[in-house]
Amino acid sequence: MNTDTTLAEKETPGVPVGRFAPSPTGRMHLGNLFTALMSWLSVRSRGGRWVLRIEDLDPQRSKIEHARMIEDDLDWLGLDFDEGGLDGRGAHGPYRQSERGAIYEEYLDRLRATGYTYPCTCTRADIMATQAPHQSDGRVIYGGRCRPALLPSPWRETEAKHSTRLYVPDEEILFTDRVYGPQSVNLTRECGDFILRRADGAWAYQLAVVVDDALMGVTEVVRGSDLLLSTAQQVYLCRLLGLTVPEYAHVPLVCNTEGRRLSKRDMSLNMALLREQHTPREIIGRLAHMAGLLDSPTPCEARELIPLFNWKKMPRIECIQVE
């Protein structure tokens, strides 16, 4: 198992590496396909490699049969991957997050050594009680109830059930997104100290994705715009761990006719029904039109779009509505 970031990057110097990292909690929908195609086209247009990583951190909702369907749907659409997947081909496995706990533990220890992590015994009720009345956008901002008075400070062992939190500085985290341009996020105001490992032992998405992208040599991350804000947390983690920050491109969410982002409950636009009613070429053409690559939803194969791909064509909007 290769856990050396620099070694992972040296294996293919100068070659872009992208990844698609779905959660196997249900059948993919049109929004998932839109992200997958944009990620695939971005690296293929520059002769790069594409990794399929299975983000199954949630054991209650993740199912192996859903992961198999994801691979089958990608194959049906002509989106081939170079490494990863359930068979774990490639030098940077395992490619299922549920099998990478020992790796996350190693990097959590590195963060503890910085003196900026601490045990947190707060319940959700404790945290919600501190939220401002006007906060109606769903964000939960941690106020630092369990934070040590002085930081950095040595890790304090406790027998009480606790999560592990990471202190964030009151400063702007800067990064540039390929679609939405320059970004400036103050983590203290936007999220507060965030969790690396939950009280039940489950690994937090932020830590897992940063470590996985680094060790798998990922140079660019393409995903939905709902994750744009969390990018600052990941840039901060890369800085603390001494990892290379990948490039980011966040694409508009695909929404239903009511303007709500698609979920796996939107059965009319999930792959089960899409495969019954459309050919792969029809779906690819529809997605390409949504991305501004085609003037109309003309049926085509994914590989035909490689010479047409350009991030400048992507609509800079929050949501693309589909019927």
Side-chain angles (χ1 to χ4, degrees), residues 150-222:
L150 294 175
L151 286 168
S153 67
W155 174 260
R156 297 178 291 111
E157 292 294 343
T158 175
E159 293 183 2
K161 190 173 184 180
H162 65 274
S163 60
T164 299
R165 282 192 186 272
L166 177 67
Y167 161 79
V168 299
D170 185 9
E171 63 183 55
E172 300 300 309
I173 304 293
L174 307 176
F175 65 95
T176 299
D177 186 76
R178 283 183 177 173
V179 177
Y180 295 99
Q183 304 292 314
S184 177
V185 179
N186 184 294
L187 292 177
T188 296
R189 293 196 298 265
E190 297 294 346
C191 68
D193 301 348
F194 58 91
I195 289 177
L196 301 173
R197 194 175 194 177
R198 296 190 331 213
D200 62 2
W203 295 101
Y205 168 79
Q206 306 297 358
L207 176 62
V209 73
V210 164
V211 171
D212 289 349
D213 285 343
L215 298 187
M216 294 177 187
V218 172
T219 63
E220 64 171 47
V221 173
V222 178

Side-chain angles (χ1 to χ4, degrees), residues 280-295:
R281 290 173 56 85
E282 288 173 339
I283 294 173
I284 293 295
R286 184 179 185 184
L287 295 172
H289 178 57
M290 290 162 53
L293 302 179
L294 295 177
D295 294 332

